Amino acid sequence: MSDRVCLVHYHEIGLKGKNRSTFENQLVQNLRKALRDYPVAEVKRIPGHLLVSAQDGQATPELAHAISLVPGVARVSQAYLCSLDEEEYCAAALKALHEAGDFTSFKVHAHRSSTDYERHSIDINRLVGDILCHEFPDKKVQMHKPDVIVYVNAVGHVVYVYAASEVGVGGLPVGTAGKVVTLLSSGFDSPVATWMVGRRGATCVPVHFSGRPMTADTSEYLCQDIINQLAPGGMIGRLYVVPFGEKQREISLAVPQSLRIITYRRVMFAVAERIAQLEGAKALVTGESLGQVASQTLDNIAAVNEIVSLPVLRPLIGSDKQEIIRRAEEIGTYDISAQDAADCCTLFMPRRPETHARIDKVHEAWDSFDHDAMIEELVQNIEYVDFDQCPSYKPPRQISRWHRELLPAFEHID
Ligand code: ATP
Ligand code: MG
């Protein structure tokens, strides 16, 4: 019996011209890491595709599924790996079509690349098509939108044959779009925002502001669970945690109630930007969606945004809550975010937050406490935990004295 391999398809990488090999190599590296718990023999580039082979020569649907979750993968096919012997690849085409389940119409699509095989694709189509028609006399051959397409790809000295593919997450390989710092709460939105920029190829460095010591550290654990849930995408290398409770209390005493949230956010953005500088990240990311809550009006977004000079990416700005929830379910973060945990946002919440902040009032509030000293002190007390999932993540070379290796509370995590 022919071996089965996973043929990995990408579209966007294919469009990248001279950068193509960089993108392909990054995807190979990311796949190797993502599949490290599977019995994989090899991940390699072949003309037009990547190829993943299993140690026992029988790539499974589970392996194909794991591949489909890696950004940059458009589709994965469990293909039969055949020689150029026509009997062998025709037999594989029969098996592939038998496995296709319920269908009424089909066609054969043959393709050749980098091969000196004497048969041209039209001949292959005819040869394989005749055999399939003979075996499936009650099925219709249909050129336009058939139910099943049997692909027969001759590449070099081998032929890949498949009829079914699993759709992948698409996007670009993580590590090809630079680094971002994402503001990660344990709510529904920011994990989805993080996943979205990760899917576009960014290496994500999340920062979480916890209410500790004024609240429990539950939200910190939930953030770790979220990151573990995002592990198949291989986008996260390190989580920074900023215990923010004390400083929030100071802010709540210093500034008018209605401007508390905006002031917390300005401090959070400023600290996140410091982390971005250290990490060499080129943008911040938030899970904001226009008008969703008081802090997400255009006025308030502007009042917070002006504190940083890095671009702030808001991948969910035009999304409805229902769309965000659906995506959270798909990427597996929904159940974690649905758990109740006090984070810094639930602490010292005003009864009536400002919805359209006047910038002069915001500046007045900002200048009513020593914000520079506060930001510096928060930066000095940042903690972090590393996750071994992102091949493109390089920790900052200059590890400053304020990094502690692990939160004491994190040491007990399995
Ligand atoms: P989320 O569902 O992501 O918590 P939200 O709907 O609760 O968002 P806000 O509380 O206004 O909305 O938060 C807006 C954005 O600010 C979040 O998406 C996130 O990027 C950032 N943010 C909020 N709280 C925190 C936090 N505790 N730590 C880090 N970032 C946060
Ligand atoms: Mg929230």
Side-chain angles (χ1 to χ4, degrees), residues 183-191 207-210 265 268-269 285-288 292-293 295-296 321 343-345:
L183 283 92
L184 183 71
S185 71
S186 59
F188 290 111
D189 304 332
S190 42
V207 51
H208 176 65
F209 292 81
S210 124
R265 282 287 145 75
M268 287 160 71
F269 271 45
V285 177
T286 75
E288 288 160 306
Q292 195 189 83
V293 290
S295 58
Q296 297 174 17
K321 196 75 187 182
D343 68 4
C344 69
C345 289

Side-chain angles (χ1 to χ4, degrees), residues 184-187 208-226 239 241 336-344 346 407 409-410 413:
L184 183 71
S185 71
S186 59
H208 176 65
F209 292 81
S210 124
R212 190 158 47 95
M214 318 304 275
T215 65
D217 50 10
T218 320
S219 68
E220 300 169 23
Y221 285 96
L222 293 180
C223 283
Q224 292 183 82
D225 288 348
I226 285 164
L239 163 70
V241 175
I336 305 166
S337 295
Q339 295 176 49
D340 233 1
D343 68 4
C344 69
T346 42
L407 283 166
F410 287 0
I413 287 176

Side-chain angles (χ1 to χ4, degrees), residues 28-309:
V28 166
Q29 220 188 322
N30 295 355
L31 282 168
R32 284 187 183 138
K33 186 85 172 200
L35 303 176
R36 63 191 186 278
D37 294 335
Y38 291 80
V40 165
E42 201 179 16
V43 181
K44 67 173 183 189
R45 294 163 65 187
I46 59 169
H49 296 94
L50 301 185
L51 189 73
V52 179
S53 47
Q55 283 163 13
D56 64 357
Q58 292 305 313
T60 58
E62 291 73 30
L63 179 62
H65 182 66
I67 293 169
S68 75
L69 300 175
V70 177
V73 174
R75 278 186 304 124
V76 194
S77 313
Q78 255 181 286
Y80 288 101
L81 172 62
C82 309
S83 68
L84 290 172
D85 172 44
E86 58 189 52
E87 270 185 35
E88 187 183 346
Y89 65 73
C90 286
L94 280 171
K95 276 192 266 180
L97 194 53
H98 272 295
E99 288 164 8
D102 254 1
F103 69 96
T104 55
S105 57
F106 74 96
K107 76 170 179 183
V108 178
H109 181 98
H111 184 78
R112 293 155 35 98
S113 55
S114 316
T115 183
D116 48 14
Y117 184 39
E118 68 277 6
R119 275 191 189 274
H120 283 275
S121 41
I122 294 178
D123 305 332
I124 303 174
N125 275 334
R126 203 170 296 135
L127 172 74
V128 177
D130 283 350
I131 288 174
L132 295 181
C133 285
H134 190 258
E135 176 86 2
F136 294 88
D138 54 337
K139 306 292 182 192
K140 201 165 101 199
V141 175
Q142 185 175 309
M143 290 302 124
H144 184 62
K145 294 199 176 166
D147 296 336
V148 182
I149 302 178
V150 178
Y151 291 90
V152 183
N153 282 359
V155 182
H157 300 293
V158 297
V159 181
Y160 300 98
V161 179
Y162 58 93
S165 300
E166 176 161 357
V167 176
V169 292
L172 297 167
V174 175
T176 57
K179 206 189 245 184
V180 296
V181 164
T182 84
L183 283 92
L184 183 71
S185 71
S186 59
F188 290 111
D189 304 332
S190 42
V192 173
T194 299
W195 180 84
M196 286 181 78
V197 287
R199 187 179 63 157
R200 294 305 304 166
T203 303
C204 300
V205 181
V207 51
H208 176 65
F209 292 81
S210 124
R212 190 158 47 95
M214 318 304 275
T215 65
D217 50 10
T218 320
S219 68
E220 300 169 23
Y221 285 96
L222 293 180
C223 283
Q224 292 183 82
D225 288 348
I226 285 164
I227 291 168
N228 284 326
Q229 201 58 43
L230 298 178
M235 43 186 75
I236 292 169
R238 172 172 287 184
L239 163 70
Y240 288 94
V241 175
V242 185
F244 192 29
E246 299 267 20
K247 299 300 169 206
Q248 280 184 278
R249 196 174 53 87
E250 283 175 32
I251 293 170
S252 73
L253 295 174
V255 313
Q257 246 203 60
S258 61
L259 295 176
R260 270 183 206 167
I261 297 182
I262 288 175
T263 313
Y264 299 156
R265 282 287 145 75
R266 285 168 69 101
V267 173
M268 287 160 71
F269 271 45
V271 172
E273 189 170 53
R274 290 282 296 274
I275 294 174
Q277 280 158 0
L278 178 89
E279 284 276 353
K282 297 204 177 79
L284 304 183
V285 177
T286 75
E288 288 160 306
S289 157
L290 190 60
Q292 195 189 83
V293 290
S295 58
Q296 297 174 17
T297 61
L298 282 180
D299 289 320
N300 290 4
I301 286 175
V304 174
N305 211 114
E306 64 157 21
I307 204 70
V308 291
S309 50

